[in-house]
Coordinates of all heavy atoms in Angstrom, one line a residue:
M1 N 0.8 -1.2 0.0 CA 0.0 0.0 0.0 C 0.9 1.3 0.0 O 0.6 2.2 -0.7 CB -0.9 0.0 1.2 CG -1.7 1.2 1.4 SD -2.9 1.5 0.0 CE -3.7 2.9 0.6
T2 N 1.9 1.3 0.8 CA 2.7 2.5 0.9 C 3.4 2.8 -0.4 O 3.4 4.0 -0.8 CB 3.8 2.3 2.0 OG1 3.1 2.0 3.2 CG2 4.6 3.5 2.2
T3 N 3.9 1.8 -1.1 CA 4.5 2.1 -2.4 C 3.5 2.6 -3.4 O 3.8 3.5 -4.2 CB 5.2 0.8 -2.9 OG1 6.1 0.3 -1.9 CG2 5.9 1.0 -4.2
D4 N 2.3 2.0 -3.4 CA 1.3 2.4 -4.3 C 0.9 3.8 -4.0 O 0.6 4.6 -4.9 CB 0.0 1.5 -4.3 CG 0.3 0.1 -4.8 OD1 1.3 -0.1 -5.5 OD2 -0.4 -0.8 -4.4
L5 N 0.7 4.1 -2.8 CA 0.3 5.5 -2.3 C 1.4 6.5 -2.7 O 1.1 7.6 -3.3 CB 0.1 5.5 -0.8 CG -0.3 6.8 -0.2 CD1 -1.7 7.1 -0.6 CD2 -0.2 6.8 1.3
A6 N 2.7 6.2 -2.5 CA 3.8 7.1 -2.9 C 3.8 7.3 -4.4 O 3.9 8.4 -4.8 CB 5.1 6.5 -2.4
A7 N 3.6 6.2 -5.1 CA 3.6 6.4 -6.6 C 2.4 7.2 -7.1 O 2.6 8.0 -8.0 CB 3.5 5.0 -7.2
R8 N 1.3 7.0 -6.5 CA 0.1 7.8 -6.8 C 0.3 9.3 -6.6 O 0.0 10.2 -7.5 CB -1.1 7.3 -6.1 CG -2.4 8.0 -6.5 CD -3.6 7.4 -5.8 NE -4.0 8.4 -4.8 CZ -4.5 8.1 -3.6 NH1 -4.7 6.9 -3.3 NH2 -4.8 9.1 -2.8
F9 N 0.9 9.7 -5.5 CA 1.1 11.1 -5.2 C 2.3 11.7 -6.0 O 2.3 12.8 -6.3 CB 1.3 11.3 -3.7 CG -0.1 11.4 -3.0 CD1 -0.8 10.3 -2.6 CD2 -0.6 12.6 -2.7 CE1 -2.0 10.4 -2.0 CE2 -1.8 12.7 -2.1 CZ -2.6 11.6 -1.8
A10 N 3.3 10.9 -6.3 CA 4.4 11.3 -7.2 C 3.8 11.6 -8.6 O 4.2 12.6 -9.2 CB 5.5 10.3 -7.2
A11 N 2.9 10.8 -9.0 CA 2.3 11.0 -10.3 C 1.4 12.3 -10.3 O 1.4 13.0 -11.3 CB 1.5 9.8 -10.7
L12 N 0.8 12.5 -9.2 CA 0.0 13.7 -9.1 C 0.9 15.0 -9.2 O 0.6 15.9 -9.9 CB -0.8 13.8 -7.8 CG -1.6 15.0 -7.5 CD1 -2.7 15.3 -8.5 CD2 -2.2 14.9 -6.1
A13 N 2.0 14.9 -8.5 CA 3.0 16.1 -8.6 C 3.5 16.3 -10.0 O 3.6 17.4 -10.4 CB 4.1 15.8 -7.6
D14 N 3.7 15.2 -10.7 CA 4.2 15.3 -12.1 C 3.1 15.8 -13.0 O 3.4 16.4 -14.1 CB 4.7 14.0 -12.6 CG 6.1 13.6 -12.1 OD1 6.8 14.6 -11.6 OD2 6.5 12.5 -12.1
S15 N 1.9 15.7 -12.6 CA 0.8 16.1 -13.5 C 0.5 17.6 -13.4 O -0.2 18.2 -14.3 CB -0.5 15.3 -13.2 OG -1.1 15.8 -12.0
I16 N 1.0 18.3 -12.4 CA 0.8 19.7 -12.2 C 1.5 20.5 -13.3 O 2.7 20.3 -13.5 CB 1.2 20.2 -10.8 CG1 0.3 19.5 -9.8 CG2 1.1 21.7 -10.7 CD1 0.8 19.8 -8.3
E17 N 0.8 21.4 -14.0 CA 1.4 22.2 -15.0 C 2.3 23.2 -14.4 O 1.9 24.0 -13.5 CB 0.3 22.9 -15.9 CG 0.9 23.7 -17.0 CD -0.1 24.3 -17.8 OE1 -1.3 24.0 -17.8 OE2 0.2 25.3 -18.6
L18 N 3.6 23.2 -14.8 CA 4.5 24.2 -14.3 C 5.0 25.1 -15.4 O 5.3 24.6 -16.5 CB 5.7 23.5 -13.7 CG 5.5 22.7 -12.5 CD1 6.8 22.0 -12.0 CD2 4.9 23.5 -11.3
R19 N 5.2 26.3 -15.1 CA 5.9 27.3 -16.0 C 6.9 28.0 -15.2 O 6.7 28.3 -14.1 CB 4.8 28.3 -16.6 CG 3.9 27.7 -17.5 CD 2.9 28.7 -18.1 NE 1.7 28.1 -18.2 CZ 0.5 28.6 -17.8 NH1 0.5 29.8 -17.3 NH2 -0.6 27.9 -18.0
R20 N 8.0 28.3 -15.8 CA 9.1 28.9 -15.1 C 8.7 30.2 -14.4 O 9.0 30.5 -13.3 CB 10.3 29.2 -16.1 CG 11.5 29.8 -15.4 CD 12.5 30.3 -16.4 NE 13.1 29.1 -17.1 CZ 14.4 28.7 -16.9 NH1 15.2 29.3 -16.1 NH2 14.8 27.7 -17.6
E21 N 7.9 31.0 -15.1 CA 7.5 32.3 -14.6 C 6.5 32.2 -13.4 O 6.2 33.1 -12.7 CB 6.9 33.2 -15.6 CG 5.7 32.8 -16.4 CD 6.0 31.8 -17.5 OE1 7.1 31.5 -17.8 OE2 5.0 31.4 -18.1
G22 N 5.9 31.0 -13.3 CA 4.9 30.7 -12.2 C 5.4 29.9 -11.1 O 4.6 29.5 -10.2
L23 N 6.7 29.7 -11.0 CA 7.2 28.8 -10.0 C 7.1 29.4 -8.6 O 7.0 28.6 -7.6 CB 8.7 28.4 -10.3 CG 8.9 27.3 -11.3 CD1 10.4 27.1 -11.5 CD2 8.2 26.0 -10.9
I24 N 7.1 30.7 -8.5 CA 7.0 31.3 -7.1 C 5.7 30.9 -6.5 O 5.6 30.5 -5.4 CB 7.2 32.8 -7.2 CG1 8.6 33.1 -7.6 CG2 6.8 33.5 -5.9 CD1 8.9 34.5 -7.9
G25 N 4.6 31.0 -7.3 CA 3.3 30.6 -6.8 C 3.0 29.1 -6.8 O 2.0 28.7 -6.2
A26 N 3.8 28.4 -7.5 CA 3.6 27.0 -7.7 C 3.6 26.2 -6.3 O 2.9 25.2 -6.2 CB 4.6 26.4 -8.6
T27 N 4.4 26.7 -5.4 CA 4.5 25.9 -4.1 C 3.2 26.1 -3.4 O 2.8 25.1 -2.7 CB 5.7 26.4 -3.3 OG1 5.6 27.8 -3.1 CG2 7.0 26.0 -3.9
I28 N 2.5 27.2 -3.5 CA 1.2 27.4 -2.8 C 0.2 26.5 -3.5 O -0.5 25.8 -2.8 CB 0.8 28.9 -2.9 CG1 1.7 29.7 -2.1 CG2 -0.7 29.0 -2.4 CD1 1.6 31.2 -2.3
Y29 N 0.2 26.4 -4.8 CA -0.7 25.6 -5.5 C -0.4 24.1 -5.2 O -1.3 23.3 -5.0 CB -0.5 25.8 -7.0 CG -1.5 25.0 -7.9 CD1 -2.8 25.2 -7.9 CD2 -1.0 24.0 -8.6 CE1 -3.7 24.5 -8.6 CE2 -1.8 23.2 -9.4 CZ -3.2 23.4 -9.4 OH -4.0 22.7 -10.1
R30 N 0.9 23.8 -5.2 CA 1.4 22.4 -4.8 C 0.8 22.0 -3.5 O 0.2 20.9 -3.3 CB 2.9 22.3 -4.8 CG 3.4 21.0 -4.3 CD 4.9 21.1 -3.9 NE 5.0 21.8 -2.6 CZ 6.1 22.3 -2.1 NH1 7.2 22.1 -2.8 NH2 6.1 22.9 -1.0
D31 N 0.9 22.8 -2.5 CA 0.4 22.5 -1.2 C -1.1 22.3 -1.1 O -1.6 21.4 -0.5 CB 0.8 23.6 -0.2 CG 2.3 23.7 0.0 OD1 3.0 22.7 -0.3 OD2 2.8 24.7 0.6
S32 N -1.8 23.2 -1.9 CA -3.3 23.0 -1.9 C -3.7 21.7 -2.6 O -4.6 21.1 -2.2 CB -3.9 24.2 -2.6 OG -3.7 24.3 -4.0
Q33 N -3.0 21.3 -3.7 CA -3.3 20.1 -4.4 C -3.0 18.9 -3.5 O -3.8 17.9 -3.5 CB -2.5 20.0 -5.7 CG -3.0 21.0 -6.7 CD -4.5 20.9 -7.0 OE1 -5.0 19.9 -7.5 NE2 -5.2 21.9 -6.7
L34 N -2.0 18.9 -2.7 CA -1.6 17.9 -1.8 C -2.7 17.8 -0.7 O -3.2 16.7 -0.4 CB -0.3 18.1 -1.1 CG 0.1 17.1 0.0 CD1 0.2 15.7 -0.6 CD2 1.4 17.5 0.6
E35 N -3.1 18.9 -0.2 CA -4.2 18.9 0.8 C -5.5 18.3 0.3 O -6.1 17.4 1.0 CB -4.4 20.3 1.3 CG -5.4 20.4 2.4 CD -5.0 19.7 3.7 OE1 -3.8 19.7 4.0 OE2 -5.9 19.2 4.4
I36 N -5.9 18.7 -0.9 CA -7.1 18.1 -1.5 C -7.0 16.6 -1.7 O -7.9 15.9 -1.3 CB -7.4 18.9 -2.8 CG1 -7.9 20.3 -2.5 CG2 -8.5 18.1 -3.5 CD1 -7.9 21.2 -3.7
A37 N -5.9 16.2 -2.3 CA -5.7 14.8 -2.6 C -5.6 13.9 -1.4 O -5.9 12.7 -1.5 CB -4.5 14.6 -3.6
S38 N -5.1 14.4 -0.3 CA -4.8 13.6 0.9 C -6.0 13.6 1.9 O -5.9 13.0 2.9 CB -3.5 14.0 1.6 OG -3.6 15.3 2.1
R39 N -7.1 14.2 1.5 CA -8.2 14.1 2.4 C -8.7 12.7 2.6 O -8.8 12.0 1.6 CB -9.4 15.0 1.9 CG -9.1 16.5 2.0 CD -10.2 17.3 1.5 NE -9.8 18.7 1.6 CZ -10.4 19.7 0.9 NH1 -11.4 19.4 0.1 NH2 -10.0 20.9 1.0
G40 N -9.0 12.3 3.8 CA -9.6 11.0 4.0 C -8.5 9.9 4.2 O -8.9 8.8 4.4
I41 N -7.2 10.2 4.2 CA -6.3 9.1 4.4 C -5.7 9.3 5.8 O -5.7 10.4 6.4 CB -5.2 9.1 3.3 CG1 -4.3 10.4 3.3 CG2 -5.7 8.8 2.0 CD1 -3.1 10.3 2.3
S42 N -5.2 8.3 6.3 CA -4.6 8.3 7.7 C -3.4 9.3 7.8 O -2.8 9.5 6.8 CB -4.2 6.9 8.1 OG -3.0 6.5 7.5
P43 N -3.1 9.7 9.0 CA -2.0 10.6 9.2 C -0.7 9.9 8.8 O 0.2 10.6 8.2 CB -2.0 10.9 10.7 CG -3.4 10.8 11.1 CD -3.9 9.7 10.2
E44 N -0.5 8.7 9.0 CA 0.7 7.9 8.6 C 0.8 7.9 7.1 O 1.9 8.2 6.5 CB 0.7 6.5 9.1 CG 0.8 6.4 10.6 CD 0.5 5.0 11.1 OE1 0.1 4.1 10.3 OE2 0.6 4.8 12.3
D45 N -0.3 7.6 6.4 CA -0.3 7.6 4.9 C -0.1 9.0 4.4 O 0.5 9.2 3.3 CB -1.6 7.0 4.4 CG -1.7 5.5 4.5 OD1 -0.6 4.9 4.8 OD2 -2.8 4.9 4.3
R46 N -0.6 10.0 5.1 CA -0.5 11.4 4.6 C 1.0 11.8 4.6 O 1.5 12.4 3.7 CB -1.3 12.4 5.4 CG -1.2 13.7 4.8 CD -1.9 14.8 5.6 NE -2.1 16.0 4.9 CZ -1.1 16.8 4.5 NH1 0.2 16.5 4.7 NH2 -1.3 17.9 3.8
R47 N 1.8 11.3 5.6 CA 3.2 11.6 5.7 C 3.9 11.0 4.5 O 4.8 11.6 3.8 CB 3.8 11.2 7.0 CG 3.5 12.1 8.1 CD 4.3 11.7 9.4 NE 3.8 10.5 10.0 CZ 2.8 10.4 10.8 NH1 2.1 11.5 11.1 NH2 2.4 9.3 11.4
V48 N 3.6 9.7 4.2 CA 4.2 9.1 3.0 C 3.8 9.8 1.7 O 4.7 10.0 0.9 CB 3.7 7.6 3.0 CG1 4.1 6.9 1.7 CG2 4.3 6.8 4.2
A49 N 2.5 10.1 1.6 CA 2.0 10.8 0.4 C 2.7 12.2 0.2 O 3.2 12.5 -0.9 CB 0.5 11.0 0.5
A50 N 2.8 12.9 1.3 CA 3.4 14.3 1.3 C 4.9 14.2 0.9 O 5.3 15.0 0.0 CB 3.3 15.0 2.6
M51 N 5.6 13.2 1.4 CA 7.0 13.1 1.1 C 7.2 12.8 -0.4 O 8.0 13.4 -1.1 CB 7.7 12.1 2.0 CG 9.2 12.1 1.9 SD 9.8 13.7 2.5 CE 11.3 13.8 1.5
A52 N 6.4 11.8 -0.9 CA 6.5 11.4 -2.3 C 6.1 12.6 -3.2 O 6.8 12.8 -4.2 CB 5.6 10.2 -2.6
F53 N 5.0 13.2 -2.9 CA 4.5 14.3 -3.7 C 5.5 15.5 -3.7 O 5.9 16.0 -4.8 CB 3.2 14.8 -3.0 CG 2.5 15.9 -3.8 CD1 1.6 15.6 -4.8 CD2 2.7 17.2 -3.5 CE1 1.0 16.6 -5.5 CE2 2.1 18.2 -4.2 CZ 1.2 17.9 -5.2
N54 N 6.0 15.9 -2.6 CA 6.9 17.0 -2.5 C 8.3 16.7 -3.2 O 8.9 17.5 -3.9 CB 7.1 17.5 -1.1 CG 5.9 18.2 -0.5 OD1 5.1 18.8 -1.3 ND2 5.6 18.0 0.7
E55 N 8.8 15.5 -3.0 CA 10.0 15.1 -3.6 C 9.9 15.1 -5.1 O 10.8 15.6 -5.8 CB 10.5 13.7 -3.1 CG 11.8 13.3 -3.6 CD 12.3 12.1 -3.0 OE1 11.7 11.5 -2.0 OE2 13.4 11.6 -3.4
A56 N 8.8 14.5 -5.6 CA 8.6 14.5 -7.1 C 8.5 15.9 -7.6 O 9.0 16.2 -8.7 CB 7.3 13.7 -7.4
F57 N 7.8 16.8 -6.9 CA 7.7 18.2 -7.4 C 9.0 18.8 -7.4 O 9.4 19.5 -8.5 CB 6.8 18.9 -6.4 CG 6.4 20.3 -6.9 CD1 5.2 20.5 -7.6 CD2 7.1 21.4 -6.5 CE1 4.8 21.7 -8.1 CE2 6.7 22.7 -7.0 CZ 5.6 22.8 -7.8
E58 N 9.9 18.7 -6.4 CA 11.2 19.3 -6.4 C 12.1 18.7 -7.5 O 12.8 19.5 -8.1 CB 11.8 19.2 -5.0 CG 11.1 19.9 -3.9 CD 11.0 21.4 -4.0 OE1 11.8 22.0 -4.7 OE2 10.0 22.0 -3.5
Q59 N 12.0 17.4 -7.7 CA 12.8 16.8 -8.7 C 12.4 17.3 -10.1 O 13.3 17.5 -11.0 CB 12.7 15.3 -8.6 CG 13.4 14.7 -7.5 CD 13.1 13.2 -7.3 OE1 12.1 12.6 -7.9 NE2 13.9 12.5 -6.5
R60 N 11.1 17.5 -10.2 CA 10.7 18.0 -11.5 C 11.2 19.4 -11.8 O 11.6 19.8 -12.9 CB 9.1 18.1 -11.5 CG 8.6 18.4 -12.9 CD 7.1 18.0 -12.9 NE 6.5 18.7 -14.0 CZ 5.3 19.1 -14.0 NH1 4.5 18.9 -13.0 NH2 4.8 19.7 -15.1
V61 N 11.2 20.3 -10.8 CA 11.8 21.6 -11.0 C 13.2 21.5 -11.4 O 13.7 22.2 -12.4 CB 11.7 22.5 -9.7 CG1 12.4 23.8 -9.8 CG2 10.2 22.8 -9.4
V62 N 14.0 20.7 -10.8 CA 15.4 20.5 -11.1 C 15.6 19.9 -12.5 O 16.4 20.4 -13.3 CB 16.1 19.5 -10.1 CG1 17.5 19.1 -10.6 CG2 16.2 20.2 -8.7
R63 N 14.7 19.0 -12.9 CA 14.8 18.4 -14.2 C 14.4 19.4 -15.3 O 15.1 19.4 -16.4 CB 13.8 17.2 -14.2 CG 13.9 16.3 -15.4 CD 13.1 15.0 -15.2 NE 11.7 15.3 -15.0 CZ 11.0 15.0 -13.9 NH1 11.6 14.5 -12.8 NH2 9.7 15.3 -13.8
Q64 N 13.4 20.2 -15.1 CA 12.9 21.1 -16.2 C 13.7 22.3 -16.3 O 13.9 22.8 -17.4 CB 11.4 21.4 -15.9 CG 10.5 20.3 -16.2 CD 9.0 20.7 -16.2 OE1 8.3 20.2 -15.4 NE2 8.7 21.6 -17.0
W65 N 14.2 22.9 -15.2 CA 15.0 24.1 -15.2 C 16.3 24.0 -14.4 O 16.4 24.6 -13.4 CB 14.1 25.3 -14.7 CG 12.9 25.4 -15.5 CD1 12.8 25.9 -16.8 CD2 11.6 25.1 -15.1 NE1 11.5 25.9 -17.2 CE2 10.7 25.4 -16.2 CE3 11.0 24.5 -14.0 CZ2 9.3 25.2 -16.2 CZ3 9.7 24.3 -13.9 CH2 8.8 24.6 -15.0
P66 N 17.2 23.2 -14.9 CA 18.4 22.9 -14.1 C 19.3 24.1 -13.7 O 20.0 24.1 -12.7 CB 19.2 21.9 -14.9 CG 18.6 22.0 -16.3 CD 17.2 22.5 -16.1
D67 N 19.2 25.1 -14.6 CA 20.0 26.3 -14.3 C 19.3 27.4 -13.6 O 19.9 28.5 -13.3 CB 20.6 26.8 -15.7 CG 21.5 25.8 -16.4 OD1 22.1 25.0 -15.6 OD2 21.5 25.7 -17.6
D68 N 18.1 27.3 -13.3 CA 17.3 28.3 -12.6 C 17.7 28.3 -11.1 O 18.0 27.3 -10.6 CB 15.8 28.0 -12.8 CG 15.0 29.2 -12.4 OD1 14.6 29.3 -11.2 OD2 14.7 30.0 -13.2
H69 N 17.6 29.5 -10.5 CA 17.9 29.6 -9.1 C 17.0 28.7 -8.2 O 17.3 28.3 -7.2 CB 18.0 31.0 -8.6 CG 16.6 31.7 -8.5 ND1 16.0 32.2 -9.6 CD2 15.8 31.9 -7.5 CE1 14.8 32.7 -9.3 NE2 14.7 32.5 -8.0
R70 N 15.7 28.6 -8.7 CA 14.8 27.7 -7.9 C 15.2 26.3 -7.9 O 15.0 25.5 -7.0 CB 13.4 27.9 -8.5 CG 12.8 29.3 -8.2 CD 11.5 29.5 -9.0 NE 11.2 30.9 -9.1 CZ 11.5 31.6 -10.2 NH1 12.1 31.1 -11.2 NH2 11.2 32.9 -10.2
A71 N 15.9 25.8 -9.0 CA 16.4 24.5 -9.0 C 17.5 24.3 -8.0 O 17.6 23.2 -7.4 CB 17.0 24.1 -10.4
A72 N 18.3 25.3 -7.8 CA 19.3 25.2 -6.7 C 18.7 25.1 -5.4 O 19.2 24.3 -4.5 CB 20.2 26.5 -6.8
V73 N 17.6 25.8 -5.1 CA 16.9 25.7 -3.9 C 16.3 24.3 -3.8 O 16.4 23.6 -2.7 CB 15.8 26.8 -3.8 CG1 14.9 26.5 -2.6 CG2 16.4 28.1 -3.7
A74 N 15.7 23.8 -4.8 CA 15.1 22.4 -4.8 C 16.2 21.4 -4.6 O 16.0 20.4 -3.8 CB 14.5 22.2 -6.2
R75 N 17.4 21.5 -5.1 CA 18.5 20.6 -4.9 C 18.9 20.6 -3.4 O 19.1 19.5 -2.8 CB 19.7 20.9 -5.7 CG 19.6 20.5 -7.1 CD 20.9 20.7 -7.9 NE 20.7 20.7 -9.3 CZ 20.5 21.8 -10.0 NH1 20.5 23.0 -9.5 NH2 20.3 21.7 -11.3
R76 N 19.0 21.8 -2.8 CA 19.3 21.8 -1.4 C 18.2 21.2 -0.5 O 18.5 20.5 0.4 CB 19.5 23.3 -0.9 CG 20.8 23.9 -1.4 CD 21.1 25.2 -0.7 NE 20.2 26.2 -0.9 CZ 20.2 27.1 -1.9 NH1 21.1 27.0 -2.8 NH2 19.2 28.0 -2.0
T77 N 17.0 21.4 -0.9 CA 15.8 20.8 -0.2 C 15.9 19.3 -0.3 O 15.7 18.6 0.7 CB 14.5 21.4 -0.7 OG1 14.5 22.8 -0.5 CG2 13.3 20.7 0.0
L78 N 16.1 18.8 -1.5 CA 16.1 17.3 -1.7 C 17.3 16.7 -0.9 O 17.2 15.7 -0.3 CB 16.3 17.0 -3.2 CG 15.0 17.3 -4.0 CD1 15.4 17.3 -5.5 CD2 14.0 16.2 -3.7
K79 N 18.4 17.4 -0.9 CA 19.6 16.9 -0.2 C 19.3 16.8 1.3 O 19.6 15.9 2.0 CB 20.8 17.8 -0.4 CG 22.1 17.3 0.2 CD 23.2 18.1 -0.2 CE 24.5 17.6 0.4 NZ 25.7 18.5 0.1
K80 N 18.7 17.9 1.8 CA 18.3 18.0 3.3 C 17.4 16.8 3.6 O 17.5 16.2 4.6 CB 17.7 19.3 3.6 CG 17.3 19.4 5.0 CD 16.7 20.8 5.3 CE 15.3 20.9 4.7 NZ 14.6 22.1 5.1
W81 N 16.4 16.6 2.8 CA 15.4 15.5 3.1 C 16.1 14.2 3.1 O 15.8 13.3 3.9 CB 14.3 15.5 2.0 CG 13.3 16.6 2.2 CD1 13.1 17.4 3.2 CD2 12.4 17.1 1.2 NE1 12.1 18.4 3.0 CE2 11.7 18.2 1.7 CE3 12.1 16.7 -0.1 CZ2 10.7 18.8 1.0 CZ3 11.2 17.4 -0.9 CH2 10.5 18.4 -0.3
H82 N 17.0 13.9 2.2 CA 17.7 12.6 2.1 C 18.7 12.4 3.3 O 18.9 11.3 3.7 CB 18.4 12.4 0.8 CG 17.4 12.2 -0.3 ND1 16.7 11.0 -0.5 CD2 16.8 13.0 -1.2 CE1 15.9 11.1 -1.5 NE2 15.9 12.3 -2.0
I83 N 19.2 13.5 3.8 CA 20.1 13.4 4.9 C 19.3 13.1 6.2 O 19.8 12.3 7.0 CB 20.9 14.7 5.1 CG1 21.9 14.9 4.0 CG2 21.6 14.8 6.5 CD1 22.6 16.2 3.9
N84 N 18.1 13.7 6.3 CA 17.3 13.5 7.5 C 16.4 12.2 7.4 O 15.8 11.9 8.4 CB 16.4 14.7 7.7 CG 17.3 15.9 8.1 OD1 18.3 15.8 8.7 ND2 16.8 17.1 7.7
S85 N 16.4 11.5 6.3 CA 15.6 10.3 6.3 C 16.2 9.1 6.7 O 17.3 9.0 7.1 CB 15.0 10.1 4.8 OG 16.1 9.9 3.9

């Protein structure tokens, strides 16, 4: 279940339309989509879903705009998450 849940939320993050000029507001939109999608799941499952969702989102920013300053922030965030996991 956990792997399926993580994959489902990672796919949701990948489905969000991103534009470079809209990345500043994208995190707010990202958070709202996560909140909507995770309604009705247990707190434990929500933690798994949130980590998969947010990681996929940050990886996508790095993949799509590797030279943008937001990608540098995303890389630092991803590194921090992996160090603390």
Side-chain angles (χ1 to χ4, degrees):
M1 174 64 176
T2 301
T3 303
D4 293 340
L5 182 69
R8 189 177 99 211
F9 277 83
L12 175 62
D14 281 341
S15 73
I16 294 173
E17 182 179 342
L18 294 179
R19 292 184 214 130
R20 183 188 294 250
E21 62 276 359
L23 280 177
I24 292 171
T27 54
I28 295 168
Y29 181 71
R30 175 197 71 193
D31 294 346
S32 69
Q33 292 304 296
L34 174 60
E35 183 62 35
I36 291 167
S38 64
R39 288 181 183 159
I41 63 175
S42 73
E44 293 168 359
D45 284 348
R46 189 184 189 295
R47 282 189 288 279
V48 169
M51 191 64 209
F53 183 87
N54 290 327
E55 185 172 357
F57 190 89
E58 297 297 335
Q59 287 173 344
R60 188 164 162 214
V61 170
V62 170
R63 192 172 58 246
Q64 285 188 243
W65 300 288
D67 298 328
D68 192 272
H69 72 280
R70 290 172 200 94
V73 172
R75 282 187 199 92
R76 284 193 302 270
T77 300
L78 288 164
K79 185 176 179 180
K80 178 177 74 172
W81 288 342
H82 287 283
I83 289 171
N84 293 326
S85 60

